[in-house]
Amino acid sequence: ANGAVPVLAGAGGYDTRAVIELVRDLASAGATGILSVTPYYNKPTPEGLFRHYGAIADGTDLPIVVYNVPGRTACNIAPATLLRLAEIANVVAVKEASGDLGQMCEICRAVPDDFCVLSGDDAFTLAVMALGGTGVISVVSNEAPSRMAALVDQAAAGDFTAARATHERLLPLMQVNFVESNPIPVKAAMAELGLLDPNYRLPLTPPAAAAHARIVDVLAATGLSRAGSPPARQRQASLAGT
């Protein structure tokens, strides 16, 4: 990025000391903020979560966005714990991907005005912003950045009629991005759009044929297919033939 855009670097894990060291490395590399997922596997208590993020915050001046995604980590940050974290000066936001709308309501109601609540799921962006949230850390923005930005801008401006219409147009894409484990579908879609080569690092694998066909259909229905270019499955077959 070379200073052209802010970089929110990922630094999370189940070993607090290792995360602190990674944050220092990322700060030295020029990161302008940190996105830190909750510890996975070891399932800390609320007090453990508070001390984990407190220790990370003590080790850096960078702003920290807490990433709550219990479906992937088996660890949920309850609203009461998040309120404690919001009192730490450089813990400035949460990427809330619990999938629990009731929890999102409670968070948006309770956090300080200067604490940003970001949806961690595209499909919840409109709802979170209607509740007072700030925006989204998005998957769809990889495929349709201007449209997803328009949704956020419309909601931020209070034009929820326009935001609902944009949301409805993008909803099939939001949903198909999870037809298999994310990021498999979005990588397949981006390959179809000519934005990357369809490479998957194990243990992730290419999508099944039926899932891939559904992704292609949704791209076409959303008006995102790249005209005049062979689909990724044909490019893959061509590469395999060589």
Side-chain angles (χ1 to χ4, degrees):
N2 198 28
V5 294
V7 175
L8 186 64
Y14 53 76
D15 180 340
T16 304
R17 284 181 295 181
V19 175
I20 291 169
E21 292 173 4
L22 177 57
V23 169
R24 289 172 180 161
D25 289 343
L26 292 168
S28 297
T32 47
I34 296 296
L35 177 66
S36 189
V37 71
T38 55
Y40 39 86
Y41 185 77
N42 55 14
K43 300 171 69 171
T45 64
E47 182 63 23
L49 284 170
F50 177 74
R51 295 189 187 188
H52 171 77
Y53 283 109
I56 296 170
D58 284 344
T60 183
D61 293 327
L62 292 178
I64 296 168
V65 179
V66 174
Y67 182 10
N68 187 40
V69 58
R72 291 184 179 267
T73 65
C75 176
N76 180 55
I77 302 179
T81 303
L82 188 63
L83 287 179
R84 292 181 69 194
L85 293 174
E87 296 175 357
I88 300 172
N90 56 332
V91 176
V92 300
V94 62
K95 177 183 177 182
E96 170 55 29
S98 67
D100 183 340
L101 189 56
Q103 176 165 297
M104 296 175 199
C105 290
E106 179 64 19
I107 289 169
C108 289
R109 182 193 67 82
V111 294
D113 291 340
D114 61 350
F115 188 85
C116 295
V117 180
L118 302 166
S119 176
D121 295 295
D122 289 306
F124 282 113
T125 304
L126 180 59
V128 168
M129 295 192 71
L131 292 166
T134 307
V136 60
I137 295 179
S138 169
V139 177
V140 166
S141 61
N142 290 283
E143 302 147 311
S146 61
R147 299 188 196 189
M148 197 64 204
L151 169 58
V152 173
D153 288 344
Q154 290 157 354
D159 188 353
F160 286 100
T161 299
R164 280 194 298 272
T166 304
H167 167 82
E168 289 171 3
R169 288 192 295 270
L170 287 174
L171 183 59
L173 188 58
M174 296 173 180
Q175 293 170 327
V176 83
N177 279 336
F178 291 87
V179 68
E180 289 189 5
S181 295
N182 178 54
I184 291 171
V186 70
K187 294 188 82 171
M190 292 174 73
E192 286 291 330
L193 297 173
L195 299 172
L196 50 73
D197 292 325
N199 298 316
Y200 302 86
R201 184 174 60 192
L202 286 173
L204 300 183
T205 59
H212 189 273
R214 186 173 168 189
I215 293 164
V216 172
D217 288 345
V218 170
L219 286 174
T222 313
L224 290 173
S225 293
R226 185 176 59 162
S229 176
R233 59 180 178 272
Q234 292 181 14
R235 293 198 300 274
Q236 286 178 305
S238 176
L239 288 171
T242 59

